[in-house]
């Protein structure tokens, strides 16, 4: 009887130990399971945040191009009074970078185009390009570049200085921009040249980077941080390079601005298959040939100094001057030369 009681007691202890072991396994399994799920959720949230930043960067690119195309109207919306003609930017110009983290372009001018006393013009250099943070908004909050200002310091760009509204490489505030000038752009990406602008999303800080400072090397990596005009989409393993890089080529810039200033004349009033002018005169070398006809675009006859024109409009004439003489009073010294030299 005693032997049987001992045996039963031993079996009871074994069953208790097995139950305890199973409970411990369940607890450990649950911890591993929930820890894995939590890790996956955190990783998924990190991926979603990364994708959000990349989408934001592509939206910034489109906003930059829109700003360039709509620059005169945007500028007019921010000024008070009537600016002088040499203070009005035409199309094609980009904003200056934000160099001090205040969310605004640092071009050394106020919204009326007047130089700000004591403010250094940080928009352009003898190197032919300038790099800085994407501004959150334009000078007077009329146009925004970044939808979500949280982590806005992670968005950077470098731009050819000839394409910004203020630069230190010219004696004038604005350089002439048109379909043929400048003939090339200063920046390169992965060896490809003719890049007007390079935009960056700086990923998480890497070893040695201190995001409390706005220096380029604390945000951009490797060859993107060495302060020259050559940039890269890949330049090392993820532990030393995690920039996401896109660009605006010279051809993309031209396509954007030409979509506004040009049209292909297809009017054929006399039915001979050739486009005609307002007096039914044939225009065999213009119109209907899928070539932009700048002569037929933006004829602003009541404003001799319109940004579009190389030459001024002669009062009482039906057309613009053809051959421009830079010494003539009628010439438009502040024009961007979009209107061709010999438009009749």
């Amino acid at each position: 009887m005693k032997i049987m009681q001992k045996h039963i007691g031993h079996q009871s202890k074994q069953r208790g130990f097995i139950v305890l072991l199973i409970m411990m396994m369940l607890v450990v399994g649950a911890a591993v399971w929930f820890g894995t799920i939590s890790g996956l959720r955190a990783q998924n949230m990190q991926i979603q945040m990364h994708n959000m930043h990349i989408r934001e960067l592509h939206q910034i690119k489109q906003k930059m191009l829109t700003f360039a195309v709509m620059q005169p109207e945007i500028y007019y919306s921010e000024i008070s009074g009537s600016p002088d003609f040499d203070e009005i930017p035409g199309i094609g110009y980009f904003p200056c970078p934000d160099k001090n983290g205040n969310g605004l372009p640092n071009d050394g001018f106020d919204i009326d185009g007047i130089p700000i006393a004591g403010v250094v013009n940080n928009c352009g250099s003898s190197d032919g390009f300038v790099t800085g943070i994407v501004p959150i908004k334009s000078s007077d909050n009329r146009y925004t570049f970044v939808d979500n200002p949280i982590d806005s310091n992670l968005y950077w760009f470098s731009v050819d200085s000839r394409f910004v509204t203020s630069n230190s490489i010219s004696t004038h505030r604005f350089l002439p921009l048109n379909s043929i000038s400048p003939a090339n752009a200063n920046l390169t990406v992965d060896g490809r040249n003719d890049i007007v602008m390079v935009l960056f999303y700086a990923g998480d800080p890497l070893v040695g980077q201190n995001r409390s400072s706005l220096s380029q090397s604390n945000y951009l990596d490797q060859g993107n941080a060495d302060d020259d005009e050559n940039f890269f989409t890949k330049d090392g393993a993820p532990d030393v390079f995690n920039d996401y890089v896109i660009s605006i080529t010279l051809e993309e810039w031209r396509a954007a601005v030409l979509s506004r200033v040009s049209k292909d004349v297809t009017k054929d009033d006399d039915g001979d298959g050739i486009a005609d002018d307002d007096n039914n005169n044939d225009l065999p070398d213009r119109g209907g040939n899928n070539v932009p006809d700048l002569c037929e675009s933006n004829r602003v006859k009541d404003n001799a100094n319109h940004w579009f024109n190389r030459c001024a409009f002669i009062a009482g004439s039906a057309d613009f001057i053809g051959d421009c003489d830079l010494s003539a009073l009628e010439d438009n010294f502040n024009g961007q030369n979009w209107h061709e030299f010999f438009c009749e």
Side-chain angles (χ1 to χ4, degrees), residues 125-248:
S125 69
S126 58
D127 296 326
F129 67 97
V130 60
T131 304
I133 303 168
V134 174
I136 295 175
K137 59 186 181 182
S138 59
S139 299
D140 199 26
N141 202 22
R142 304 287 182 171
Y143 190 90
T144 59
F145 297 98
V146 181
D147 288 334
N148 186 0
I150 298 176
D151 294 330
S152 61
N153 287 353
L154 298 179
Y155 306 113
W156 286 63
F157 74 111
S158 183
V159 61
D160 186 322
S161 296
R162 296 169 295 177
F163 290 80
V164 295
T165 54
S166 175
N167 60 77
S168 57
I169 61 176
S170 170
T171 56
H172 303 285
R173 183 180 179 193
F174 307 116
L175 289 175
L177 291 177
N178 54 52
S179 59
I180 59 174
S181 178
N184 51 56
N186 285 328
L187 309 181
T188 75
V189 174
D190 294 338
R192 177 180 177 177
N193 56 15
D194 269 357
I195 306 296
V196 174
M197 179 183 292
V198 186
L199 299 108
F200 311 89
Y201 158 57
D204 295 331
L206 301 177
V207 175
Q209 289 183 329
N210 180 6
R211 294 291 169 81
S212 63
S213 169
L214 292 179
S215 67
Q216 186 173 337
S217 60
N218 278 328
Y219 282 83
L220 305 184
D221 309 324
Q222 300 287 89
N224 293 339
D226 58 4
D227 201 27
D228 65 19
E229 72 275 16
N230 303 308
F231 300 96
F232 305 89
T233 59
K234 294 181 180 180
D235 193 17
D239 60 333
V240 295
F241 186 89
N242 63 357
D243 295 340
Y244 186 85
V245 182
I246 59 178
S247 62
I248 296 176

Side-chain angles (χ1 to χ4, degrees), residues 12 35 42 48 63 86 101 107 123 133 150 155 203 232 234 245 250 269 280 283 291 314 316 328 333 335 337-338 341:
S12 177
Q48 289 179 352
K63 289 188 174 187
D86 60 355
D107 56 10
C123 197
I133 303 168
I150 298 176
Y155 306 113
F232 305 89
K234 294 181 180 180
V245 182
L250 183 60
D269 289 335
N280 287 346
L283 302 172
V291 176
I314 300 178
F333 294 101
N337 305 350
W338 281 98
F341 298 172

Side-chain angles (χ1 to χ4, degrees), residues 10-308:
H10 182 68
Q11 285 183 330
S12 177
K13 288 180 181 179
Q14 283 185 329
R15 284 195 297 269
F17 176 75
I18 291 172
V19 170
L20 181 61
L21 182 62
I22 291 173
M23 291 177 65
M24 290 179 64
M25 290 175 64
L26 289 173
V27 171
V28 172
V32 172
W33 168 261
F34 287 110
T36 302
I37 292 298
S38 177
L40 289 174
R41 286 179 176 173
Q43 185 179 14
N44 186 51
M45 290 177 63
Q46 186 176 13
I47 292 173
Q48 289 179 352
M49 184 67 69
H50 179 74
N51 291 339
M52 181 198 73
H53 284 300
I54 291 176
R55 288 193 300 270
E56 182 79 35
L57 188 66
H58 283 275
Q59 290 174 358
I60 290 171
K61 172 180 176 177
Q62 296 307 314
K63 289 188 174 187
M64 287 287 185
L65 287 170
T66 302
F67 180 89
V69 172
M70 301 299 295
Q71 171 63 16
E73 288 78 7
I74 293 172
Y75 184 84
Y76 269 121
S77 73
E78 296 188 346
I79 62 175
S80 59
S82 299
D84 294 332
F85 287 117
D86 60 355
E87 296 174 356
I88 302 173
I91 66 166
Y93 292 101
F94 294 108
C96 297
D98 172 9
K99 302 288 283 187
N100 57 17
N102 68 352
L104 300 175
N106 292 120
D107 56 10
F109 291 86
D110 65 18
I111 60 176
D112 294 318
I114 307 302
I116 301 173
V119 176
V120 178
N121 178 2
N122 287 318
C123 197
S125 69
S126 58
D127 296 326
F129 67 97
V130 60
T131 304
I133 303 168
V134 174
I136 295 175
K137 59 186 181 182
S138 59
S139 299
D140 199 26
N141 202 22
R142 304 287 182 171
Y143 190 90
T144 59
F145 297 98
V146 181
D147 288 334
N148 186 0
I150 298 176
D151 294 330
S152 61
N153 287 353
L154 298 179
Y155 306 113
W156 286 63
F157 74 111
S158 183
V159 61
D160 186 322
S161 296
R162 296 169 295 177
F163 290 80
V164 295
T165 54
S166 175
N167 60 77
S168 57
I169 61 176
S170 170
T171 56
H172 303 285
R173 183 180 179 193
F174 307 116
L175 289 175
L177 291 177
N178 54 52
S179 59
I180 59 174
S181 178
N184 51 56
N186 285 328
L187 309 181
T188 75
V189 174
D190 294 338
R192 177 180 177 177
N193 56 15
D194 269 357
I195 306 296
V196 174
M197 179 183 292
V198 186
L199 299 108
F200 311 89
Y201 158 57
D204 295 331
L206 301 177
V207 175
Q209 289 183 329
N210 180 6
R211 294 291 169 81
S212 63
S213 169
L214 292 179
S215 67
Q216 186 173 337
S217 60
N218 278 328
Y219 282 83
L220 305 184
D221 309 324
Q222 300 287 89
N224 293 339
D226 58 4
D227 201 27
D228 65 19
E229 72 275 16
N230 303 308
F231 300 96
F232 305 89
T233 59
K234 294 181 180 180
D235 193 17
D239 60 333
V240 295
F241 186 89
N242 63 357
D243 295 340
Y244 186 85
V245 182
I246 59 178
S247 62
I248 296 176
T249 66
L250 183 60
E251 285 305 309
E252 286 179 300
W253 176 84
R254 281 179 176 152
V257 294
L258 278 171
S259 67
R260 173 173 185 181
V261 304
S262 67
K263 63 182 177 181
D264 187 26
V265 180
T266 57
K267 183 175 63 174
D268 179 18
D269 289 335
D270 57 13
D272 63 357
I274 302 176
D276 302 318
D277 62 15
D278 293 337
N279 298 317
N280 287 346
N281 297 316
D282 288 345
L283 302 172
D285 58 343
R286 298 183 298 172
N289 57 359
N290 295 319
V291 176
D293 300 309
L294 296 179
C295 292
E296 299 298 329
S297 305
N298 293 285
R299 291 175 174 241
V300 182
K301 298 182 179 181
D302 60 349
N303 188 347
N305 290 319
H306 192 271
W307 57 264
F308 179 77

